[in-house]
Amino acid sequence: MLSLGCRCGDVRLRVEGPHIASVECLCSSCQKAAQVLEALPGAGPILDGKGATPFVLLRKDRVAIVAGQDRLKAHRLTDDAGTRRVIAACCNTPVFLEMKGGHWLSLYAALWPETDRPAVELRTMTGARDDLPDDVPNLRTHSLGFYGRLFIAWVRMGFRNPRFPDNGALHVKNR
């Protein structure tokens, strides 16, 4: 079990069990969202030097909000976006990305202390980029292996898709 939190400590999460994957996403939506969220007052950087957003994917049933749920604020790139990116509005720390219908959460890797952060296992949605280091697989799109990890996690959850608490977190459309 591990306790994670926002920069100011008002929002706290508890995570347990192994992660599904530790990835760097280079899709255009993550890059656009990072620009929006990085521009918030007091926000820190989201994109790394490669233009990637580091995430640690966990099953929803292995993540709990233990403090500050009322401080969470969800951002969507469009009204009909299938993802919500949730920040701790107290200090504008990115907390997680939730895909509509997903049984997992993509927690922003910066929540982990650097010494405890799972090592990156792959980069995804790299497109035609050929300037990335070859230290991990650089997947142009999501691979069968990536989807396989998600499927195995879902099987282990008994094909459940728990609702992750929203509690009316304000949804903001960003363009």
Side-chain angles (χ1 to χ4, degrees), residues 53-68:
T53 303
F55 289 110
V56 178
L57 284 63
L58 287 152
R59 292 171 23 176
K60 285 182 181 177
D61 62 352
R62 293 192 170 165
V63 180
I65 301 169
V66 295

Side-chain angles (χ1 to χ4, degrees), residues 80-93:
D80 60 345
T83 58
R84 65 179 180 130
R85 290 167 175 87
V86 177
I87 65 164
C90 43
C91 57
N92 289 326
T93 299

Side-chain angles (χ1 to χ4, degrees), residues 145-169:
F146 177 79
Y147 285 118
R149 288 182 183 206
L150 292 175
F151 183 73
I152 289 168
W154 194 35
V155 169
R156 290 182 176 152
M157 293 174 68
F159 296 104
R160 292 177 300 110
N161 184 2
R163 286 184 49 88
F164 198 74
D166 188 347
N167 276 19

Side-chain angles (χ1 to χ4, degrees), residues 7 29-47 53 55 73-77 84-88 91-97 108 172 174:
R7 283 192 307 278
S29 292
C30 281
Q31 291 176 348
K32 182 177 180 179
Q35 291 172 348
V36 169
L37 298 179
E38 287 175 340
L40 296 172
I46 295 173
L47 297 175
T53 303
F55 289 110
K73 181 179 180 182
H75 290 260
R76 294 183 187 272
L77 292 176
R84 65 179 180 130
R85 290 167 175 87
V86 177
I87 65 164
C91 57
N92 289 326
T93 299
V95 180
F96 65 86
L97 176 148
Y108 285 87
V172 178
N174 297 299

Side-chain angles (χ1 to χ4, degrees), residues 107-142:
L107 275 66
Y108 285 87
L111 292 173
W112 272 258
E114 203 161 324
T115 55
D116 296 330
R117 188 176 303 156
V120 173
E121 299 163 319
L122 58 95
R123 289 182 195 92
T124 187
M125 306 304 289
T126 62
R129 295 214 22 205
D130 59 4
D131 61 335
L132 297 168
D134 61 1
D135 53 340
V136 298
N138 292 306
L139 309 175
R140 293 190 184 278
T141 62
H142 293 306

